[in-house]
Structure formats: C-alpha cells, structure tokens
Amino acid sequence: MYLSKLSLKDFGKFHNKDIELDEGVNIIYGGENSGKTTIKEFCYGMFYGIDKPNNISNDKDNYAKLKPVKRDFAGKAYIKDEDKSYLVERSFLAGARKTTVFDVKAGRDVRLNERHSLQNTLVKTPANTYKDSILVSDVSKLDKIELLQDIDETIKNLSETGDSEISKDKAINYLKAEKRRNDVRPLTRRLDELSRQLDPYENVDGDIEATEEAIKNLDMEFQIEAAKRKRVSRKLVENEDGSITYLTEDEYNEKLSKLAEAAENTSAEEEEVKEKKKKKKKKKKAAESEETEETKAAEADEEQKAEPIDDHKEKEEIEDDEEDEEEDDPNRKKLSDNIFVIFLTGLFVIGVIATVVQFIPFEDNVRKMFIVFTAVFVVITIIEGFYAKGYFSQEENVLPSEEEFKKLVDEFTEEMEISEENEFDLGFAKEYKEERARLKAELERHIERRSEKAKLTYEFNQVFKKRSEMAEELSAIKLAMACIERTSRDIKEDFEAPLYGMSSQILKILTDGDYESIVRVDDKLCIIHGERTTPIEILSKDTLYVIDISIRLAACSLFIKEKLPVVLDCTADGLDPRHVPFFARVLPLLGADQYILLTEKEGIKNMLGILDTPYKYQEL
C-alpha cells in the first residue's frame, strides 16, 4: 500500500499543493520551516483524520497548528493497494468534518466502519501505533542527556507496552498514587467510631414511643380521676355539728329529692303568707271604716280561732303589716319630697318678690333685673334640692326583692362550693402537672437524642457510601495494575527479544560493523563492539543518535503489518555523513512498499545515489 498523490487543498501553510509520489523511496527536500512536518501530518491525517482535542492547551494540538487562517481545511490523497485504487477526500474542520473513500475501479463509495477513519476499513494498524512507530520523527536536536533519556524510555516502553509513548512504570506509579489516595482505612476507622457513638441511641425511637404513651396514659388517668373527684366532692355535705358526711349515690339522690320537695313547700308557704297579708289589709280597712272596737275584737278572735300561731310568728306578721302599711300609705310621704309642691313654692316666692318690688321706688330696669336674678336663684335652689334628693341620680337605691336576695345567696353558695372543690383538687392537680412536666422534659431529651442519632446516621451513611465507592475504585485500580503487569509481561516475552535483535541488526548496518549489538546489563543499556561491552552513557552524541534511530526503525519494522507508507521526518539528517550511505540499506528491512524521506540536506540524494538506490526526488 502506498500514496500515489497528495493534494493539499488547504492544509497548514499549503494551498492547492500537489505532490506526486512513487512506490519505493521518495525524497522531499525543503529548507527550515518549508512544511516538511506538515507533509508528515497530512499523510497521517488522510488515514486517520485530525481531531480537535478537548484541551486546547495540549502541546500536541496539531489541529490548531495545521488549520489555515480564513481558508478551508481540506485535502485529497490517492492510495494504491495492489490492484485497487482509492480516492480519499477529507474536510478536517471541526463541526463540519467529512470523509469519503471512493473505489476508483469499482466506481462507488466505500462505507467506513469507523467514522472519519480508515482503520478497520482499508487498514488495521491502530492510529497510535502508526503515529509513534511508522511516522519516525527527528530527534537530532536533542542534547546528549535528552538522547540518553529518550533511548532508555523508548526501548523500555516498546519492550514493555509495545508503544514508545506509553510507559508501564508511569502507569503503575500513577495507579499506586491513586491507590494511596483511595485508602479506605481512615474511613473504616471513622465508621467504627460512628458505630460506637450510635450504640447509645439504638432504642431512642422506642424511648420516645414509651414516653408519649406514658403522657397519654397520664392524661387519661387525670381525666378519669378528676371526674371521679368531682362526683365525690358533690356528695360531701356538712352536718349541723360541722362534721363532713360522705353520701352514697342513693343517699345523694334522696337528698336532692328532699331539697327539691322542700323548695316546693317553701314556695307554697310563701304564697299562703302573701294571701294572708292581703286578707289582713282588707280587714284592717274595714275595721277603720266601722270604727268599732267590738268589730275589731270579733275579727281578732276569729283570726285566732281560724289560725293559731305562736307569739313569735304573730310578732313577725305584725312587723310585716306595719312595713306594708308604710309602703302602701302615700300620706306618710313628706310634702317636701313632692315635686309639684316644690315647683309651686318656687313660683310663689318669685311672685311675692315681684309684688314687693313694685312698691319699692326703683327704676324699671332695676326691678326687672331684681326679679330675674330672684327667679334664677330660686331655680338653682330647686335644682340643688333635686340633686340632694337624688332625682337626677342614675343609680336607684332600691333594695333587692326577696327572690333576688335568695338568688344572690344561692350564687354565692355555689361559688363557695366551687372554691372548696378547687382547693380539694389542688394537690392532685399539682402532682399531675409536675409529673406531666417531667415526662415532657424527658420526651424533649429523647427527641434531641433522636436528632443527634439522625446526624450521626447521615454521616455514617455518607462515609459508608464514600468508602464503598473508594473500595470499588481501589478494586478497579488493583485489577488495572494486575492487567498492566500481565499484559506487559506478555508483550515483553513476545516483543523484547525481537526488538533488541532488530535494533542490533540496524545499528550494525548503520555503523558498518563498528557496533554489533544493543544489550541490557544490570538494567543498563550497553553496546557490544568486538569483545567490549560499553554503557551508552559514555558514548558520543552522534553515536547515541544512531542508537536512537536504530531502535525507532526496529520498532517500525516490527509494527508495520500492512506495508503502510513509512514517513521519515529528517531522520537521516542527524546521521554522520559516513553513515548516510548505509541508511538506504536499512530501508528494505522495514518491509514497507513506500518510504517518504523528508530532509533539509540536499546532498542526501547524492549519498543514496552512490548505492544505486532508486528514488523519486522533488522540492517544496
């Protein structure tokens, strides 16, 4: 498989640049910054595309470096593979990428198995393998220390991971750091501590339910006992001797019946007394009209016969009669209390004064003023008299009736009974209140403990979740480390010996037999020349560069499986001039159909010509 033509429509610094290529060796010459590395990236991009990395600050952001300013980002390439020919067209613009592969012989488009990549369609080699091994970069500008480091890392990475850019040691060290970061032991200790703190709160919910039940039972007992005591207090009566008697239910009901009967009898007696008083008044009036002592005596005898009463009762009735007579007799009221008498007296005084003034030799105006002032004085005197008598007072000094007085006495008695009942229950209510307050305080403490338990439980769950996640990640890390070790061991068994063998063969060709092989002794790279084994640290920079190129070309020969085009970016430029003629002898060992040598040294074509190696030459 090889590239027959490159058409850089808009790519990097190129615009509508066509490069014709042949099978075998192709030399493309260009000075510094002429676009040689751009050609290498275009070859890679036509096979695998150029992605825009997520992190634009990445040093390997070729997208930003290669994208033209104010132009399209596109190109074409013609690929030949045995008897087939393909036209690949690409647009590399992010957001508008497009890739088409046209089978020229079949006259139809080829369906891609992977979007914007020819992998698993025309080629099987992974993109990273092609970039790191088959596209050989220039390392001639590195100093000696950098070359030593690059050689050691390249051969170590290739022999352990199969990729010059992937370090097994770095991967393992990174996973070890992640393993330390995901150490679950501190979280396990914290869980144990939280578990011990949660132990005292284990039955807090049961304690809350028990306390709430106790408060509920206490309230119920209080209501029952209060009702019972209320009934008892109603059955306690005070006897005549001052002692307290507890009545049974039957006695209490019987007492209530007697009191009701007594109340009815008292009402009947009161009505009878009133009737008798009326009769007495009538008889007294009749006796006064007849004015005879005999009639009065006869009536008195009849009353004694009809209704014998004791002296005490008779005396009370006589006093009641006198009070009734005083209330009923209007003649007994003082004249000075009569409002009409007061007004007539005032008018009389005013008239007398007015008459007397007529006979006194005063002027008319003086007489009128004297009469007016006299009238005003009399009116004021009358009003003051009314105020003194209480005629203008809103409060009537009226004594309550017998029924109202009895009602007031009953209300007062009831209030006294209620007060006694409250005093009777005061001790019991106080005990209930204190016990309920104690239970409420206990309930609040339990609720606080439940809140503390909830906080501890939440933290416990969070720590447990985090520990579980870390344990899963730790398990994945351990699995990844084991997988890396196992894969690295398999790669090393299959790849290390061929890599050192091919590197030694290429080194021997490039140095024309001066150095025979590359070996690792006590974990240090050495070269063998003759019977001597020399650590590479003491070699010159030029020799180190030859060793580095030998290792990279050896990796290229081992990884190239489909004879993909090999692109050598100024690889031969760093070689000692005496080693360049032997460079052409190495190329057939790589096993590719096409080699594209990008160089800044125009004389390389002459050096290759010495060995009669066919090549196609063109300048940028």
PDB file of all heavy atoms in Angstrom, residues 191 194-195 197-198 201 204 449-464:
ATOM      1  N   LEU A 191     -15.942   4.897  60.476  1.00  0.00           N
ATOM      2  CA  LEU A 191     -17.177   4.120  60.583  1.00  0.00           C
ATOM      3  C   LEU A 191     -17.262   3.396  61.917  1.00  0.00           C
ATOM      4  O   LEU A 191     -18.337   3.335  62.536  1.00  0.00           O
ATOM      5  CB  LEU A 191     -17.271   3.116  59.423  1.00  0.00           C
ATOM      6  CG  LEU A 191     -17.606   3.682  58.037  1.00  0.00           C
ATOM      7  CD1 LEU A 191     -17.571   2.577  56.995  1.00  0.00           C
ATOM      8  CD2 LEU A 191     -18.972   4.349  58.040  1.00  0.00           C
ATOM      9  N   LEU A 194     -18.158   6.029  64.510  1.00  0.00           N
ATOM     10  CA  LEU A 194     -19.572   6.405  64.406  1.00  0.00           C
ATOM     11  C   LEU A 194     -20.479   5.294  64.909  1.00  0.00           C
ATOM     12  O   LEU A 194     -21.522   5.557  65.519  1.00  0.00           O
ATOM     13  CB  LEU A 194     -19.913   6.745  62.953  1.00  0.00           C
ATOM     14  CG  LEU A 194     -19.307   8.038  62.400  1.00  0.00           C
ATOM     15  CD1 LEU A 194     -19.565   8.144  60.902  1.00  0.00           C
ATOM     16  CD2 LEU A 194     -19.893   9.252  63.113  1.00  0.00           C
ATOM     17  N   SER A 195     -20.094   4.048  64.666  1.00  0.00           N
ATOM     18  CA  SER A 195     -20.891   2.921  65.140  1.00  0.00           C
ATOM     19  C   SER A 195     -20.940   2.897  66.660  1.00  0.00           C
ATOM     20  O   SER A 195     -21.996   2.655  67.261  1.00  0.00           O
ATOM     21  CB  SER A 195     -20.312   1.612  64.595  1.00  0.00           C
ATOM     22  OG  SER A 195     -21.071   0.521  65.036  1.00  0.00           O
ATOM     23  N   GLN A 197     -20.569   5.535  68.578  1.00  0.00           N
ATOM     24  CA  GLN A 197     -21.371   6.684  69.003  1.00  0.00           C
ATOM     25  C   GLN A 197     -22.863   6.438  68.829  1.00  0.00           C
ATOM     26  O   GLN A 197     -23.682   7.021  69.548  1.00  0.00           O
ATOM     27  CB  GLN A 197     -20.954   7.923  68.203  1.00  0.00           C
ATOM     28  CG  GLN A 197     -19.539   8.396  68.513  1.00  0.00           C
ATOM     29  CD  GLN A 197     -19.143   9.594  67.669  1.00  0.00           C
ATOM     30  OE1 GLN A 197     -19.935  10.128  66.893  1.00  0.00           O
ATOM     31  NE2 GLN A 197     -17.894  10.019  67.805  1.00  0.00           N
ATOM     32  N   LEU A 198     -23.224   5.585  67.883  1.00  0.00           N
ATOM     33  CA  LEU A 198     -24.643   5.308  67.629  1.00  0.00           C
ATOM     34  C   LEU A 198     -25.224   4.281  68.598  1.00  0.00           C
ATOM     35  O   LEU A 198     -26.453   4.183  68.725  1.00  0.00           O
ATOM     36  CB  LEU A 198     -24.829   4.821  66.193  1.00  0.00           C
ATOM     37  CG  LEU A 198     -24.805   5.892  65.104  1.00  0.00           C
ATOM     38  CD1 LEU A 198     -24.722   5.260  63.723  1.00  0.00           C
ATOM     39  CD2 LEU A 198     -26.040   6.782  65.200  1.00  0.00           C
ATOM     40  N   TYR A 201     -27.860   5.315  71.131  1.00  0.00           N
ATOM     41  CA  TYR A 201     -29.108   5.805  70.543  1.00  0.00           C
ATOM     42  C   TYR A 201     -29.921   4.692  69.890  1.00  0.00           C
ATOM     43  O   TYR A 201     -30.892   4.975  69.177  1.00  0.00           O
ATOM     44  CB  TYR A 201     -28.798   6.868  69.480  1.00  0.00           C
ATOM     45  CG  TYR A 201     -28.033   8.054  69.998  1.00  0.00           C
ATOM     46  CD1 TYR A 201     -26.652   8.138  69.815  1.00  0.00           C
ATOM     47  CD2 TYR A 201     -28.667   9.084  70.673  1.00  0.00           C
ATOM     48  CE1 TYR A 201     -25.938   9.222  70.287  1.00  0.00           C
ATOM     49  CE2 TYR A 201     -27.965  10.169  71.155  1.00  0.00           C
ATOM     50  CZ  TYR A 201     -26.595  10.239  70.958  1.00  0.00           C
ATOM     51  OH  TYR A 201     -25.891  11.310  71.423  1.00  0.00           O
ATOM     52  N   VAL A 204     -33.679   4.770  70.903  1.00  0.00           N
ATOM     53  CA  VAL A 204     -34.256   6.089  71.142  1.00  0.00           C
ATOM     54  C   VAL A 204     -35.681   6.181  70.609  1.00  0.00           C
ATOM     55  O   VAL A 204     -36.550   6.816  71.225  1.00  0.00           O
ATOM     56  CB  VAL A 204     -33.355   7.182  70.512  1.00  0.00           C
ATOM     57  CG1 VAL A 204     -33.324   7.056  68.996  1.00  0.00           C
ATOM     58  CG2 VAL A 204     -33.813   8.560  70.913  1.00  0.00           C
ATOM     59  N   ARG A 449     -32.033  13.459  71.353  1.00  0.00           N
ATOM     60  CA  ARG A 449     -31.179  12.300  71.104  1.00  0.00           C
ATOM     61  C   ARG A 449     -31.475  11.697  69.728  1.00  0.00           C
ATOM     62  O   ARG A 449     -30.565  11.245  69.021  1.00  0.00           O
ATOM     63  CB  ARG A 449     -31.381  11.254  72.202  1.00  0.00           C
ATOM     64  CG  ARG A 449     -30.873  11.705  73.554  1.00  0.00           C
ATOM     65  CD  ARG A 449     -31.162  10.718  74.663  1.00  0.00           C
ATOM     66  NE  ARG A 449     -30.450   9.466  74.452  1.00  0.00           N
ATOM     67  CZ  ARG A 449     -31.034   8.285  74.274  1.00  0.00           C
ATOM     68  NH1 ARG A 449     -32.356   8.201  74.275  1.00  0.00           N
ATOM     69  NH2 ARG A 449     -30.318   7.206  74.099  1.00  0.00           N
ATOM     70  N   ARG A 450     -32.752  11.704  69.337  1.00  0.00           N
ATOM     71  CA  ARG A 450     -33.096  11.190  68.011  1.00  0.00           C
ATOM     72  C   ARG A 450     -32.507  12.081  66.917  1.00  0.00           C
ATOM     73  O   ARG A 450     -32.035  11.583  65.884  1.00  0.00           O
ATOM     74  CB  ARG A 450     -34.612  11.114  67.845  1.00  0.00           C
ATOM     75  CG  ARG A 450     -35.034  10.548  66.488  1.00  0.00           C
ATOM     76  CD  ARG A 450     -36.513  10.250  66.434  1.00  0.00           C
ATOM     77  NE  ARG A 450     -37.306  11.454  66.567  1.00  0.00           N
ATOM     78  CZ  ARG A 450     -38.640  11.457  66.569  1.00  0.00           C
ATOM     79  NH1 ARG A 450     -39.293  10.327  66.475  1.00  0.00           N
ATOM     80  NH2 ARG A 450     -39.308  12.594  66.705  1.00  0.00           N
ATOM     81  N   SER A 451     -32.516  13.408  67.144  1.00  0.00           N
ATOM     82  CA  SER A 451     -31.895  14.323  66.187  1.00  0.00           C
ATOM     83  C   SER A 451     -30.392  14.061  66.084  1.00  0.00           C
ATOM     84  O   SER A 451     -29.831  14.038  64.987  1.00  0.00           O
ATOM     85  CB  SER A 451     -32.154  15.770  66.608  1.00  0.00           C
ATOM     86  OG  SER A 451     -31.519  16.662  65.728  1.00  0.00           O
ATOM     87  N   GLU A 452     -29.743  13.851  67.216  1.00  0.00           N
ATOM     88  CA  GLU A 452     -28.316  13.533  67.200  1.00  0.00           C
ATOM     89  C   GLU A 452     -28.069  12.207  66.486  1.00  0.00           C
ATOM     90  O   GLU A 452     -27.104  12.063  65.729  1.00  0.00           O
ATOM     91  CB  GLU A 452     -27.789  13.477  68.626  1.00  0.00           C
ATOM     92  CG  GLU A 452     -27.813  14.838  69.336  1.00  0.00           C
ATOM     93  CD  GLU A 452     -27.463  14.711  70.804  1.00  0.00           C
ATOM     94  OE1 GLU A 452     -27.188  13.563  71.243  1.00  0.00           O
ATOM     95  OE2 GLU A 452     -27.456  15.737  71.509  1.00  0.00           O
ATOM     96  N   LYS A 453     -28.964  11.259  66.723  1.00  0.00           N
ATOM     97  CA  LYS A 453     -28.833   9.971  66.041  1.00  0.00           C
ATOM     98  C   LYS A 453     -28.968  10.137  64.535  1.00  0.00           C
ATOM     99  O   LYS A 453     -28.224   9.522  63.759  1.00  0.00           O
ATOM    100  CB  LYS A 453     -29.911   9.003  66.552  1.00  0.00           C
ATOM    101  CG  LYS A 453     -29.879   7.654  65.861  1.00  0.00           C
ATOM    102  CD  LYS A 453     -31.041   6.778  66.283  1.00  0.00           C
ATOM    103  CE  LYS A 453     -31.021   5.452  65.525  1.00  0.00           C
ATOM    104  NZ  LYS A 453     -32.168   4.598  65.882  1.00  0.00           N
ATOM    105  N   ALA A 454     -29.920  11.004  64.107  1.00  0.00           N
ATOM    106  CA  ALA A 454     -30.116  11.228  62.664  1.00  0.00           C
ATOM    107  C   ALA A 454     -28.857  11.826  62.039  1.00  0.00           C
ATOM    108  O   ALA A 454     -28.456  11.439  60.927  1.00  0.00           O
ATOM    109  CB  ALA A 454     -31.312  12.145  62.440  1.00  0.00           C
ATOM    110  N   LYS A 455     -28.226  12.776  62.734  1.00  0.00           N
ATOM    111  CA  LYS A 455     -26.996  13.372  62.206  1.00  0.00           C
ATOM    112  C   LYS A 455     -25.893  12.333  62.085  1.00  0.00           C
ATOM    113  O   LYS A 455     -25.197  12.255  61.072  1.00  0.00           O
ATOM    114  CB  LYS A 455     -26.550  14.516  63.114  1.00  0.00           C
ATOM    115  CG  LYS A 455     -27.490  15.715  63.120  1.00  0.00           C
ATOM    116  CD  LYS A 455     -26.997  16.778  64.060  1.00  0.00           C
ATOM    117  CE  LYS A 455     -27.942  17.975  64.097  1.00  0.00           C
ATOM    118  NZ  LYS A 455     -27.481  18.999  65.063  1.00  0.00           N
ATOM    119  N   LEU A 456     -25.725  11.541  63.141  1.00  0.00           N
ATOM    120  CA  LEU A 456     -24.691  10.516  63.111  1.00  0.00           C
ATOM    121  C   LEU A 456     -24.984   9.476  62.035  1.00  0.00           C
ATOM    122  O   LEU A 456     -24.075   9.005  61.347  1.00  0.00           O
ATOM    123  CB  LEU A 456     -24.580   9.850  64.483  1.00  0.00           C
ATOM    124  CG  LEU A 456     -24.029  10.723  65.624  1.00  0.00           C
ATOM    125  CD1 LEU A 456     -24.137   9.992  66.951  1.00  0.00           C
ATOM    126  CD2 LEU A 456     -22.578  11.119  65.350  1.00  0.00           C
ATOM    127  N   THR A 457     -26.263   9.116  61.898  1.00  0.00           N
ATOM    128  CA  THR A 457     -26.644   8.131  60.886  1.00  0.00           C
ATOM    129  C   THR A 457     -26.374   8.663  59.483  1.00  0.00           C
ATOM    130  O   THR A 457     -25.890   7.930  58.606  1.00  0.00           O
ATOM    131  CB  THR A 457     -28.137   7.771  61.026  1.00  0.00           C
ATOM    132  OG1 THR A 457     -28.375   7.270  62.349  1.00  0.00           O
ATOM    133  CG2 THR A 457     -28.540   6.725  60.010  1.00  0.00           C
ATOM    134  N   TYR A 458     -26.697   9.957  59.258  1.00  0.00           N
ATOM    135  CA  TYR A 458     -26.431  10.559  57.946  1.00  0.00           C
ATOM    136  C   TYR A 458     -24.935  10.526  57.642  1.00  0.00           C
ATOM    137  O   TYR A 458     -24.529  10.144  56.532  1.00  0.00           O
ATOM    138  CB  TYR A 458     -26.941  11.994  57.930  1.00  0.00           C
ATOM    139  CG  TYR A 458     -26.626  12.734  56.650  1.00  0.00           C
ATOM    140  CD1 TYR A 458     -27.370  12.535  55.494  1.00  0.00           C
ATOM    141  CD2 TYR A 458     -25.560  13.629  56.598  1.00  0.00           C
ATOM    142  CE1 TYR A 458     -27.074  13.200  54.317  1.00  0.00           C
ATOM    143  CE2 TYR A 458     -25.256  14.292  55.419  1.00  0.00           C
ATOM    144  CZ  TYR A 458     -26.015  14.084  54.295  1.00  0.00           C
ATOM    145  OH  TYR A 458     -25.709  14.743  53.140  1.00  0.00           O
ATOM    146  N   GLU A 459     -24.126  10.932  58.616  1.00  0.00           N
ATOM    147  CA  GLU A 459     -22.675  10.909  58.398  1.00  0.00           C
ATOM    148  C   GLU A 459     -22.196   9.482  58.164  1.00  0.00           C
ATOM    149  O   GLU A 459     -21.336   9.239  57.304  1.00  0.00           O
ATOM    150  CB  GLU A 459     -21.957  11.523  59.599  1.00  0.00           C
ATOM    151  CG  GLU A 459     -20.453  11.607  59.403  1.00  0.00           C
ATOM    152  CD  GLU A 459     -19.728  12.217  60.580  1.00  0.00           C
ATOM    153  OE1 GLU A 459     -20.406  12.625  61.546  1.00  0.00           O
ATOM    154  OE2 GLU A 459     -18.494  12.263  60.553  1.00  0.00           O
ATOM    155  N   PHE A 460     -22.739   8.538  58.936  1.00  0.00           N
ATOM    156  CA  PHE A 460     -22.352   7.133  58.775  1.00  0.00           C
ATOM    157  C   PHE A 460     -22.652   6.667  57.349  1.00  0.00           C
ATOM    158  O   PHE A 460     -21.816   6.020  56.705  1.00  0.00           O
ATOM    159  CB  PHE A 460     -23.101   6.274  59.796  1.00  0.00           C
ATOM    160  CG  PHE A 460     -22.740   4.815  59.756  1.00  0.00           C
ATOM    161  CD1 PHE A 460     -21.720   4.325  60.549  1.00  0.00           C
ATOM    162  CD2 PHE A 460     -23.405   3.930  58.920  1.00  0.00           C
ATOM    163  CE1 PHE A 460     -21.368   2.982  60.514  1.00  0.00           C
ATOM    164  CE2 PHE A 460     -23.068   2.596  58.868  1.00  0.00           C
ATOM    165  CZ  PHE A 460     -22.047   2.118  59.682  1.00  0.00           C
ATOM    166  N   ASN A 461     -23.854   7.000  56.852  1.00  0.00           N
ATOM    167  CA  ASN A 461     -24.236   6.574  55.500  1.00  0.00           C
ATOM    168  C   ASN A 461     -23.349   7.218  54.441  1.00  0.00           C
ATOM    169  O   ASN A 461     -22.969   6.572  53.456  1.00  0.00           O
ATOM    170  CB  ASN A 461     -25.702   6.926  55.242  1.00  0.00           C
ATOM    171  CG  ASN A 461     -26.648   6.111  56.095  1.00  0.00           C
ATOM    172  OD1 ASN A 461     -26.306   5.011  56.534  1.00  0.00           O
ATOM    173  ND2 ASN A 461     -27.839   6.636  56.343  1.00  0.00           N
ATOM    174  N   GLN A 462     -23.024   8.523  54.644  1.00  0.00           N
ATOM    175  CA  GLN A 462     -22.163   9.195  53.682  1.00  0.00           C
ATOM    176  C   GLN A 462     -20.771   8.585  53.665  1.00  0.00           C
ATOM    177  O   GLN A 462     -20.195   8.347  52.600  1.00  0.00           O
ATOM    178  CB  GLN A 462     -22.075  10.694  54.007  1.00  0.00           C
ATOM    179  CG  GLN A 462     -23.383  11.459  53.795  1.00  0.00           C
ATOM    180  CD  GLN A 462     -23.851  11.410  52.366  1.00  0.00           C
ATOM    181  OE1 GLN A 462     -24.849  10.766  52.039  1.00  0.00           O
ATOM    182  NE2 GLN A 462     -23.147  12.076  51.491  1.00  0.00           N
ATOM    183  N   VAL A 463     -20.236   8.337  54.858  1.00  0.00           N
ATOM    184  CA  VAL A 463     -18.891   7.748  54.940  1.00  0.00           C
ATOM    185  C   VAL A 463     -18.909   6.337  54.359  1.00  0.00           C
ATOM    186  O   VAL A 463     -17.984   5.931  53.637  1.00  0.00           O
ATOM    187  CB  VAL A 463     -18.408   7.732  56.404  1.00  0.00           C
ATOM    188  CG1 VAL A 463     -17.085   6.978  56.523  1.00  0.00           C
ATOM    189  CG2 VAL A 463     -18.235   9.153  56.919  1.00  0.00           C
ATOM    190  N   PHE A 464     -19.967   5.594  54.672  1.00  0.00           N
ATOM    191  CA  PHE A 464     -20.072   4.226  54.148  1.00  0.00           C
ATOM    192  C   PHE A 464     -20.156   4.238  52.624  1.00  0.00           C
ATOM    193  O   PHE A 464     -19.521   3.418  51.945  1.00  0.00           O
ATOM    194  CB  PHE A 464     -21.308   3.541  54.741  1.00  0.00           C
ATOM    195  CG  PHE A 464     -21.467   2.109  54.307  1.00  0.00           C
ATOM    196  CD1 PHE A 464     -20.767   1.097  54.942  1.00  0.00           C
ATOM    197  CD2 PHE A 464     -22.308   1.778  53.252  1.00  0.00           C
ATOM    198  CE1 PHE A 464     -20.908  -0.227  54.537  1.00  0.00           C
ATOM    199  CE2 PHE A 464     -22.458   0.469  52.842  1.00  0.00           C
ATOM    200  CZ  PHE A 464     -21.748  -0.542  53.488  1.00  0.00           C
TER     201      PHE A 464
END
